[in-house]
Structures are given as structure tokens and as C-alpha cells.
Amino acid sequence: MRYQHKSVADQPISLPVNKVVCIGRNYLDHIQEMNSVVSEDPLLFMKPKSAMCDMTMPLVIPADKGACHNELEVAVLLKNSLRNASEPEVTDAIWGIGLGLDLTLRDVQASLKKQGQPWERAKAFDNSAPLSSFVPLAEFDSLDDLRFTLKINGEVRQQGHTALMLHKIIPLIAHMSTVFSLDAGDVILTGTPKGVGPLNDGDTVAVSLDAFFSLQTKVIV
């Protein structure tokens, strides 16, 4: 089924489906759990539009690529294009906020890292960016005080708070726009906190964003 951006009112959002732009290593606790180092500049990578899928549908993960890990992140949907944008321009360009999973083939990624190769094989496969619906930006008092949670089979695996981001959402997107153009319909994934781990066939995955929404889905291998 073709992906379409949706509002929390379950209405289609009249924006194209474009790319997903991600940041790695944006929470210190995740950097530490992965035995990584803090990047001097934001660590950016992309997923194609074929990575986007509806998070309320079953999460279909590859069966023959080793471990596939959850990485829950705050997702930002853009309604306007941005290039060399100021922070006020970034704010004006945001349609709304949701959640996204940066599904990661961890064994594949580890092999790529050893070879000094890019991460796309581990990060950019089809359906690797399940997305929730989006809450209009006007509903939020501050993007620097959002809390989000992921549970696997009823047990908390990840809890995030955007106050702990190394690169906060608005300045981060402004920086991204100086590296490459951002387009209407792009989704920004803003980094994951600690608690990444393998997903298994039949797992129940539940996510929530403060009091704005919660949803539940299943993993299928």
C-alpha cells in the first residue's frame, strides 16, 4: 500500500512524499551504549521515499539480514522547502510533529562500519522508516520538551526527551538546509535515545508521544 502523510485526525495531508533526512548520534546515552564518539558536526544520512510506511501497519523486517533494531525518534514533517534557512524560516516550514522508527540492520551496519562504507544498506531499505500520523505544530508549546516512549511486548525499551538532544530540532534543521535543500513533504528524523535492540517476529510494538497520541503494531518477519 502506498504511503501517505496523515494527520492525527486520520486525514491525508496534501503534501508529496519525498525523502527522509536523519541525524545519528544525537543523544549522549545512545552514543555511549553503541560505544561511539560524539560527532564534531551533525552526522547526517538519508532514506528514500520507499523507506516510508505507515507505523500502524505491521512492521515487515527482512528475514535474512541479521538483527533489525528499533530506533524511535521524533519526526518532523515539512510543508515548505528550505535552503540556507534561518531558524524562524524553519519554524514556518514545519507542518507538524510525529514519531518515526529508524529501523536499522545492525549486523549489516557493523560490517559496513568495519569496511569504512556508507550505511545505506543498513538504513535505507524499503519500509525502514515507519511513521506515525502528525500533530500540527501549533499544538506544541516547545519542541525542546517532548517525551516519547517505545514498549516491546509491554516492557519499556526506549524513553526519550528532546531536552537531551545534542542538536536541538530547529537549529538542526537549519543546519541541514545549509548542506542540501529540503523539500515540502520531507520528513526529518531527529535521533534516538538509548534502548535500541532487536525486533522479533510477533513482537508487539507500542509508541507514544507525550499525551498527543499512542499507537500499537506488530512485527512480521
Side-chain angles (χ1 to χ4, degrees):
M1 187 166 69
R2 182 174 295 179
Y3 171 79
Q4 173 68 55
H5 303 305
K6 290 184 179 179
S7 71
V8 286
D10 200 32
Q11 296 298 311
I13 298 171
S14 183
L15 287 170
V17 176
N18 279 322
K19 61 187 178 290
V20 183
V21 184
C22 311
I23 180 172
R25 303 178 187 173
N26 202 23
Y27 288 84
L28 184 58
D29 58 4
H30 176 57
I31 294 172
Q32 292 169 338
E33 77 171 342
M34 298 301 292
N35 296 313
S36 298
V37 296
V38 176
S39 301
E40 185 173 336
D41 294 315
L43 194 167
L44 306 180
F45 60 97
M46 296 189 201
K47 296 175 183 258
K49 65 181 182 181
S50 59
M52 295 188 218
C53 61
D54 187 338
M55 196 189 288
T56 64
M57 302 298 290
L59 306 180
V60 181
I61 63 177
D64 59 349
K65 303 293 185 183
C68 183
H69 281 200
N70 59 272
E71 294 193 10
L72 185 66
E73 316 196 1
V74 170
V76 181
L77 175 62
L78 298 182
K79 62 182 180 182
N80 299 328
S81 60
L82 294 169
R83 185 170 183 270
N84 295 321
S86 66
E87 292 186 17
E89 288 171 332
V90 170
T91 301
D92 288 343
I94 295 174
W95 191 98
I97 305 296
L99 293 174
L101 281 166
D102 170 19
L103 297 181
T104 302
L105 300 175
R106 194 66 73 198
D107 296 334
V108 175
Q109 186 188 38
S111 175
L112 293 169
K113 285 181 176 180
K114 287 181 181 178
Q115 299 174 68
Q117 294 185 6
W119 295 355
E120 276 75 11
R121 291 177 183 272
K123 293 277 195 179
F125 55 95
D126 286 358
N127 301 320
S128 62
L131 298 171
S132 73
S133 56
F134 290 88
V135 180
L137 180 64
E139 299 294 318
F140 296 89
D141 293 328
S142 171
L143 299 187
D144 296 335
D145 189 25
L146 303 179
R147 298 177 187 271
F148 54 102
T149 301
L150 179 142
K151 295 181 180 179
I152 306 292
N153 301 324
E155 295 187 3
V156 173
R157 181 175 286 186
Q158 288 189 281
Q159 289 184 306
H161 186 195
T162 56
L164 300 178
M165 286 179 166
L166 300 180
H167 304 280
K168 300 299 193 293
I169 291 174
I170 299 300
L172 170 64
I173 297 174
H175 172 78
M176 287 176 172
S177 78
T178 69
V179 181
F180 36 69
S181 295
L182 300 172
D183 299 305
D186 282 356
V187 171
I188 312 299
L189 293 184
T190 57
T192 199
K194 72 176 182 179
V196 303
L199 297 170
N200 298 299
D201 189 33
D203 279 349
T204 298
V205 178
V207 305
S208 61
L209 176 62
D210 280 330
F212 291 101
F213 67 81
S214 60
L215 63 88
Q216 184 171 294
T217 189
K218 284 276 192 181
V219 176
I220 296 177
V221 176

